[in-house]
Amino acid sequence: MNMQEYIEEAESALLHTYNRYQIVLDRGEGVYLYDMEGRKYLDFVAGIAVFALGYGNKAYNDALKAQIDKVIHTSNYYYNVPAIEAAKKIKKVSGMDRVFFTNSGAEAVEGALKAARKYAYLKDGSTDHEIIALNHSFHGRTMGALAVTGNPKYREAFEPLIGNIRFADMNDIDSVKAQLTDKTCAIIMETVQGEGGLVPATERFLKEVRALCDEKDILLILDEIQCGMGRTGYMYAWQKYGVKPDIMTTAKALGCGVPVGAFLMTEKVGQNSLVAGDHGTTYGGNPLACAAVEKVLDLFEKDHIIDNVREVAPYLEEKLNLIQDKYDCILERRGTGLMQGLLFDRPVGPVINNALKKGLILINAGANIVRFVPPLVITKEHVDEMIAILDACIEETL
Ligand SMILES: *Cc1c(COP(=O)(O)O)cnc(C)c1O
């Protein structure tokens, strides 16, 4: 079958929950992807902030192949070495104390919410606790994660979701205080909002939220699923501010493509929340997924991935600023590290489609923002290559 026939087959078999770009991707090499007709694309999406290490990383691939030949899955009723090694390493890089591995980001959020509710339940025995989430946040598509996602369009058809969620605004502590009651058990937020428009929390806001949580014994849950894993130039974005969460979620780049996420907590929450029988998963943290996590964390250290982000990100910012200056239709550059966005005064779909035709993969965040979340191994030359195509696309399209 040729590419067009495969696309038609897909549209008749897959549930239409995505408006897909009209290419069938076949293989990857470094920061380039190839479609099944052999066309080459510079990838500034990385599977949405997933493939940090670049495609075809030999050390990563070899580690997975070796684990496949040993054992792929056992059960969480038994110990396995990759999970223990992965847990040890993620504790080290995050400074958190206890980890639960999941299969996805949304599932990590579900676990975080359960842990927070259980913590509050153990304190006062009541079952009507509230959680504060932020407008324009994104935490995933399952019922619990959706309930704390600050986009009414995503939520509406699926109501009632879990109840007792109140929404406040990013970087506005008064709006958070306005939603606070004596039932509040947790505040959940992304350290840098991703889907909602590449909006970093300010240092001041994070510190104010942390102080509020400390004062009231409320748990701070930081969702680092998109902004974590080195993307901001810190392993976890909160480390830049020294504002430590009580519970943290991570996924996306954690397994670099093998589906895995995790929620982590401090010892205090670990000792006062979920116990045997409270939470579980069949696949979560299986030997294959954890072999991926273990190798990813190894390679982050060995290949100095975060140093590369710190070197290339300012260059990307500078080049995006120049593009912004050049075009009146671009209102703002947003974001931090290798998690950037350009806000346009109109929908960006045509620019992204044109870029694809010219061999550049980009993605939106909302209708009017072009998002840049490339593999963390990109170089300044890749940035130049991307900017040249982007410039031509905007020139032609808008
Ligand atoms: C992608 C994302 C999620 C959901 O992760 P899935 O693996 O798609 O379930 C949750 N929170 C944030 C911040 C994300 O970017």
Side-chain angles (χ1 to χ4, degrees):
M1 283 203 291
N2 68 25
M3 194 155 93
Q4 196 49 43
E5 286 164 343
Y6 267 112
I7 290 172
E8 280 156 26
E9 191 80 21
E11 288 305 328
S12 71
L14 296 172
L15 191 65
H16 192 93
T17 51
Y18 287 89
N19 291 318
R20 290 182 167 85
Y21 295 100
Q22 298 298 297
I23 53 172
V24 180
L25 290 171
D26 185 48
R27 66 190 181 87
E29 209 180 292
V31 299
Y32 294 93
L33 284 166
Y34 295 81
D35 70 21
M36 58 174 289
E37 290 174 349
R39 263 184 65 84
K40 183 179 178 183
Y41 301 87
L42 174 62
D43 179 17
F44 261 66
V45 176
I48 312 197
V50 170
F51 223 111
L53 297 170
Y55 304 101
N57 184 299
K58 188 171 181 327
Y60 171 83
N61 288 359
D62 286 348
L64 289 185
K65 287 174 197 168
Q67 189 59 49
I68 286 170
D69 286 338
K70 266 179 141 175
V71 68
I72 293 174
H73 180 81
T74 52
S75 158
N76 280 313
Y77 280 104
Y78 315 98
Y79 301 101
N80 73 77
V81 171
I84 297 163
E85 290 293 339
K88 203 165 80 189
K89 286 183 177 142
I90 198 169
K91 276 182 59 174
K92 184 170 161 231
V93 296
S94 68
M96 304 298 284
D97 300 313
R98 295 202 174 253
V99 55
F100 183 103
F101 289 109
T102 66
N103 306 288
S104 69
E107 233 184 290
V109 171
E110 298 287 335
L113 297 176
K114 279 179 74 175
R117 277 201 176 169
K118 182 75 191 289
Y119 179 89
Y121 172 81
L122 288 176
K123 269 198 319 189
D124 66 12
S126 70
T127 54
D128 57 355
H129 294 106
E130 297 174 356
I131 293 170
I132 298 177
L134 299 186
N135 291 313
H136 306 295
S137 63
F138 181 84
H139 297 292
R141 302 294 197 150
T142 54
M143 290 297 198
L146 193 57
V148 291
T149 287
N151 182 336
K153 246 189 15 221
Y154 288 175
R155 293 198 310 267
E156 185 178 305
F158 309 101
E159 300 280 356
L161 300 166
I162 67 166
N164 289 14
I165 310 294
R166 292 162 163 266
F167 288 94
D169 292 322
M170 180 69 139
N171 295 331
D172 179 353
I173 193 67
D174 291 334
S175 78
V176 175
K177 286 180 177 164
Q179 299 304 326
L180 196 76
T181 74
D182 55 5
K183 303 285 183 198
T184 309
C185 71
I187 299 175
I188 182 168
M189 57 180 280
E190 298 154 87
T191 320
V192 183
Q193 287 188 338
E195 316 288 319
L198 291 307
V199 180
T202 62
E203 177 168 0
R204 180 167 164 199
F205 180 66
L206 264 184
K207 288 187 165 158
E208 287 168 336
V209 170
R210 180 69 270 177
L212 189 65
C213 288
D214 289 341
E215 186 194 325
K216 311 273 184 193
D217 196 20
I218 291 168
L219 299 182
L220 174 59
I221 305 171
L222 290 181
D223 182 344
E224 290 262 347
I225 289 169
Q226 190 160 159
C227 63
M229 294 300 296
R231 189 154 290 279
T232 66
Y234 293 81
M235 194 63 185
Y236 289 102
W238 56 262
Q239 290 168 339
K240 180 175 179 184
Y241 307 117
V243 172
K244 192 176 171 179
D246 302 292
I247 304 176
M248 181 191 98
T249 58
T250 178
K252 288 200 163 87
L254 179 64
C256 275
V258 171
V260 61
F263 62 100
L264 295 97
M265 54 189 75
T266 60
E267 190 64 15
K268 179 179 152 199
V269 180
Q271 293 298 340
N272 296 286
S273 62
L274 302 174
V275 295
D278 276 346
H279 198 57
T281 162
T282 298
Y283 288 139
N286 83 10
L288 181 64
C290 285
V293 173
E294 190 191 341
K295 197 40 130 186
V296 167
L297 294 175
D298 262 355
L299 291 172
F300 261 69
E301 192 176 335
K302 192 172 138 287
D303 296 345
H304 308 288
I305 298 294
I306 291 177
D307 291 343
N308 188 61
V309 174
R310 289 183 183 185
E311 191 182 324
V312 177
Y315 187 74
L316 174 63
E317 282 190 4
E318 183 190 317
K319 295 290 162 177
L320 290 175
N321 285 344
L322 290 174
I323 289 282
Q324 187 211 328
D325 290 344
K326 185 169 170 190
Y327 294 100
D328 289 342
C329 60
I330 305 177
L331 306 176
E332 198 183 330
R333 179 191 61 76
R334 288 178 178 174
T336 176
L338 291 180
M339 186 174 176
Q340 298 281 340
L342 287 177
L343 172 66
F344 285 68
D345 64 1
R346 65 195 76 184
V348 294
V351 173
I352 292 173
N353 275 310
N354 195 8
L356 202 59
K357 289 199 190 97
K358 294 186 192 302
L360 169 64
I361 295 185
L362 294 173
I363 199 147
N364 62 311
N368 291 8
I369 296 177
V370 178
R371 173 168 30 167
F372 306 85
V373 283
L376 302 184
V377 294
I378 56 158
T379 62
K380 291 178 183 173
E381 288 71 34
H382 296 129
V383 171
D384 288 337
E385 187 184 342
M386 183 278 287
I387 290 285
I389 302 175
L390 178 69
D391 193 1
C393 285
I394 299 172
E395 184 92 52
E396 270 178 33
T397 316
L398 300 179

